[in-house]
Amino acid sequence: MRKPTRSREVGRGEKVLPGVWRLRLPLPWPGVPHCNAWALAAGAGVVLVDTGMHEPGSAAHLDRALHQAGLKLEHVRLIVCTHGHVDHCGQAPPIAARAGCQVWMHRDHAHHTAAASDPDQALARHVVVAHQSGVPPESVDRWIEGRRSQGTGQAGTLHVDRELAEGDTVATDLGDWRVIETPGHAPSHICLYQPERRLLISGDHLLGRVSLYFDAGYTPDPVAEFLASLDKVAGLDARLALSGHGRPFTDIPGHVDANRALVEHRLRAVQAELEQGPRTAFDIAHAVYGDRFTEATGSWLLSKTRCWLTHLERRGLARRTGGSPERWS
Ligand SMILES: [Zn+2]
Ligand SMILES: [Zn+2]
């Protein structure tokens, strides 16, 4: 259901702080025109946090962004991925090969690496879930066709050289950055926190524009995990967030509160739908997201809706009433 849009964006690089560069890389997705990779000065080179996705021309966009920042790909000493989504790790294998460096990622990366190593099986799994969620068969067929023609966004085989966990550190000229486990958006999500400078590389956990997404089907309750991760980040006393999309932002407590408010708002909207009688996840997603629910955005919004339902189910506020497709009340 996700369709590529023709992008006129090009890769851009800019210094945001001494020793910190933002590399803005184009994406072919509706409503998400680019993602950020962050280059952090480290000795004679840089640590690259996130990579952008792999698609035709993506390596040239990265080269262009690095060039604007006065850097070269050969300067990359280490790649750290905030999480296993293709816009954050898609180009990791070719960069690692060209720069001769390692790739570090949180140890719960299998939700991405297992799917990337067997895309046919991952696609088959999506199709089963789509049918079970009540997506019309013709929409599922068009989505499969789109996926087959687009490529996965992941280059080569993603080999993780070091599996990160809470408290691990990444050394740079700005000091050590602490790994903060922040699952919810994705099981493998981490933020990196530099405590002396109070800088937070927030990945997709916290964005300047409040925008939620959860990977469904890998962990028991992504929404609860996300809320716990918000509490954790709120307690860090960070003053500037360098996020996975959009500009850097301050007022981190305000952004955390806005995320919590949007979670509550969506949960209430899903509950209101459930009160209308048994319906499928597809029906609920359609009602909750209205015009924004299209074939281009459907798979994202359905994944979120399944997470809202799972969360309400665990709180005793929703239940599956069976059937095929499955209905909720
Ligand atoms: Zn993501
Ligand atoms: Zn992202």
Side-chain angles (χ1 to χ4, degrees):
M1 281 168 268
R2 188 191 293 173
K3 280 195 186 137
T5 51
R6 198 51 63 203
S7 173
R8 285 202 203 96
E9 299 272 340
V10 290
R12 294 177 203 279
E14 59 175 4
K15 185 180 185 175
V16 296
L17 292 168
V20 180
W21 294 270
R22 176 188 177 201
L23 308 173
R24 204 182 73 168
L25 307 170
L27 291 174
W29 295 341
V32 194
H34 39 74
C35 59
N36 297 324
W38 298 95
L40 309 173
V46 294
V47 172
L48 184 67
V49 180
D50 290 341
T51 68
M53 79 184 276
H54 169 69
E55 56 170 348
S58 58
H61 287 304
L62 178 63
D63 282 333
R64 187 180 189 277
L66 284 164
H67 180 74
Q68 284 190 352
L71 299 167
K72 283 188 192 152
L73 196 121
E74 289 67 28
H75 290 148
V76 176
R77 294 278 182 274
L78 170 67
I79 299 165
V80 181
C81 299
T82 57
H83 62 296
H85 284 163
V86 292
D87 48 332
H88 300 265
C89 62
Q91 299 203 80
I95 299 168
R98 270 175 70 192
C101 71
Q102 291 198 342
V103 178
W104 295 2
M105 200 184 220
H106 188 264
R107 60 185 169 195
D108 293 338
H109 57 73
H111 70 98
H112 176 69
T113 46
S117 69
D118 192 349
D120 286 342
Q121 203 207 2
L123 191 64
R125 183 170 172 261
H126 278 294
V127 170
V128 169
V129 170
H131 286 308
Q132 189 188 25
S133 303
V135 181
E138 55 288 3
S139 295
V140 178
D141 291 346
R142 277 195 294 273
W143 181 75
I144 295 171
E145 217 170 282
R147 282 286 284 248
R148 291 229 162 95
S149 65
Q150 273 169 49
T152 62
Q154 176 65 55
T157 303
L158 179 54
H159 176 74
V160 177
D161 297 288
R162 180 170 164 199
E163 297 189 323
L164 297 171
E166 181 82 20
D168 284 344
T169 55
V170 177
T172 71
D173 292 354
L174 291 92
D176 283 355
W177 297 70
R178 247 168 45 210
V179 170
I180 313 287
E181 292 176 343
T182 46
H185 173 83
S188 59
H189 203 290
I190 59 166
C191 293
L192 294 173
Y193 183 52
Q194 210 301 312
E196 289 83 30
R197 295 167 196 267
R198 296 168 58 208
L199 298 174
L200 181 74
I201 294 181
S202 62
D204 285 356
H205 174 60
L206 212 53
L207 299 167
R209 183 174 62 121
V210 179
S211 167
L212 304 173
Y213 176 77
F214 315 109
D215 265 347
Y218 302 102
T219 56
D221 187 351
V223 174
E225 289 151 28
F226 176 68
L227 291 171
S229 295
L230 284 179
D231 291 344
K232 202 169 180 182
V233 162
L236 289 176
D237 197 29
R239 68 177 170 87
L240 182 68
L242 311 172
S243 54
H245 304 263
R247 293 197 188 95
F249 60 92
T250 55
D251 188 21
I252 288 157
H255 282 75
V256 167
D257 287 347
N259 273 272
R260 285 197 190 111
L262 184 57
V263 167
E264 277 314 309
H265 176 76
R266 292 278 185 252
L267 287 170
R268 275 198 300 275
V270 171
Q271 272 185 284
E273 273 311 303
L274 291 171
E275 279 159 18
Q276 308 295 312
R279 44 204 61 198
T280 65
F282 177 82
D283 295 335
I284 294 165
H286 222 280
V288 167
Y289 293 104
D291 289 349
R292 277 174 298 152
F293 190 86
T294 64
E295 288 207 351
T297 59
S299 69
W300 294 346
L301 297 178
L302 196 58
S303 176
K304 280 201 277 192
T305 302
R306 291 171 56 224
C307 293
W308 299 132
L309 289 165
T310 302
H311 182 67
L312 291 171
E313 182 183 40
R314 288 176 73 88
R315 285 170 55 183
L317 298 169
R319 69 189 172 87
R320 297 164 208 256
T321 59
S324 177
E326 183 176 62
R327 282 165 209 284
W328 293 77
S329 67

